[in-house]
Amino acid sequence: DAKTTQPNSMESNEEEPVHLPCNHSTISGTDYIHWYRQLPSQGPEYVIHGLTSNVNNRMASLAIAEDRKSSTLILHRATLRDAAVYYCILRGFSYNTDKLIFGTGTRLQVFP
Amino acid sequence: EAQVTQNPRYLITVTGKKLTVTCSQNMNHEYMSWYRQDPGLGLRQIYYSMNVEVTDKGDVPEGYKVSRKEKRNFPLILESPSPNQTSLYFCASSPRSGGEQYFGPGTRLTVT
């Protein structure tokens, strides 16, 4: 099963950009790169996902390396509400399985 | 409102007393999963379902059962709960393979 590696924790100041890295060296060609975040006392929340090209949405941007072995979630201007645990996972397109491995994620602290 | 609901949200029970945690989604999603979350271990997948009557084991299926008789419902059954199943449980649904997942609010289970 493809796994991801993330730093345990990161810090940022409010209104600064944040770059959250993720390594996934065993990614396969049909794996989508997903990012979720979990705020305290809540369920995980979908942030963004992509396959090969960089992706943008209202919450964040996802930059995917050319070899797809790493990616970076970019929060353009961190707010206190962005303090959460961020999970990077690989979710394959498959007709046979939907097995997923989440890992322990990166805890982001945002300081005023 | 599109959502995933879980019931109950909190449950305290005793060892060996069978229980069911319900999960329902109103988005007509084909894919559904159950996860447990424990301190230091992140989210771990218990079971998943790719459609009605199609279920399979995730990473930690021991001690759990699931069923998928209807598209919208995916109950998690603990036939004989034990204290090591004390955990925070999340249900999630997804519209397609490789697509984004939507999580429920969680069920905190304590087995004494």
Side-chain angles (χ1 to χ4, degrees):
Chain A
D1 299 321
K3 293 188 176 181
T4 61
T5 305
Q6 301 176 251
N8 288 333
S9 63
M10 292 186 65
E11 298 176 352
S12 175
N13 294 317
E14 210 174 1
E15 299 197 2
E16 287 185 354
V18 181
H19 290 232
L20 297 165
C22 181
N23 287 322
H24 27 80
S25 58
T26 59
I27 191 170
S28 74
T30 56
D31 282 338
Y32 287 82
I33 301 159
H34 282 238
W35 283 84
Y36 293 81
R37 72 179 186 181
Q38 188 173 20
L39 280 64
S41 303
Q42 294 189 25
E45 173 189 28
Y46 167 77
V47 177
I48 199 167
H49 77 286
L51 185 62
T52 56
S53 305
N54 295 344
V55 185
N56 300 297
N57 66 20
R58 63 175 181 81
M59 290 180 70
S61 295
L62 176 59
I64 301 172
E66 201 167 324
D67 63 5
R68 302 212 320 129
K69 293 186 177 182
S70 65
S71 62
T72 302
L73 179 71
I74 303 165
L75 307 179
H76 295 285
R77 289 183 65 188
T79 70
L80 296 178
R81 291 187 306 169
D82 291 324
V85 177
Y86 287 79
Y87 297 96
C88 166
I89 69 164
L90 302 179
R91 186 159 192 233
F93 179 87
S94 170
Y95 294 109
N96 300 315
T97 181
D98 198 31
K99 201 167 182 181
L100 295 171
I101 298 176
F102 257 80
T104 54
T106 297
R107 182 173 298 277
L108 175 66
Q109 289 183 280
V110 180
F111 298 105
Chain B
E1 180 192 353
Q3 60 183 348
V4 178
T5 56
Q6 296 179 226
N7 282 294
R9 294 289 313 280
Y10 303 90
L11 179 60
I12 301 174
T13 189
V14 296
T15 299
K17 186 176 180 183
K18 181 179 178 181
L19 67 92
T20 299
V21 184
T22 64
C23 172
S24 184
Q25 50 94 4
N26 62 0
M27 297 169 279
N28 202 37
H29 287 172
E30 289 190 358
Y31 291 76
M32 297 186 76
S33 280
W34 274 104
Y35 297 88
R36 62 177 288 174
Q37 187 171 38
D38 303 289
L41 296 176
L43 282 155
R44 293 180 293 167
Q45 192 181 40
I46 302 170
Y47 269 95
Y48 64 89
S49 170
M50 298 172 71
N51 212 326
V52 174
E53 302 291 3
V54 180
T55 63
D56 207 347
K57 297 176 181 179
D59 224 19
V60 288
E62 295 78 21
Y64 304 94
K65 284 176 56 177
V66 292
S67 69
R68 187 95 182 272
K69 293 185 171 53
E70 308 164 279
K71 201 171 189 178
R72 63 183 294 128
N73 295 324
F74 190 43
L76 179 70
I77 303 154
L78 285 72
E79 295 267 3
S80 183
S82 63
N84 65 11
Q85 292 178 298
T86 292
S87 187
L88 180 57
Y89 291 86
F90 290 101
C91 179
S93 73
S94 177
R96 56 190 167 275
S97 178
E100 66 276 19
Q101 288 191 92
Y102 299 88
F103 283 80
T107 294
R108 187 166 292 282
L109 172 66
T110 302
V111 183
T112 62

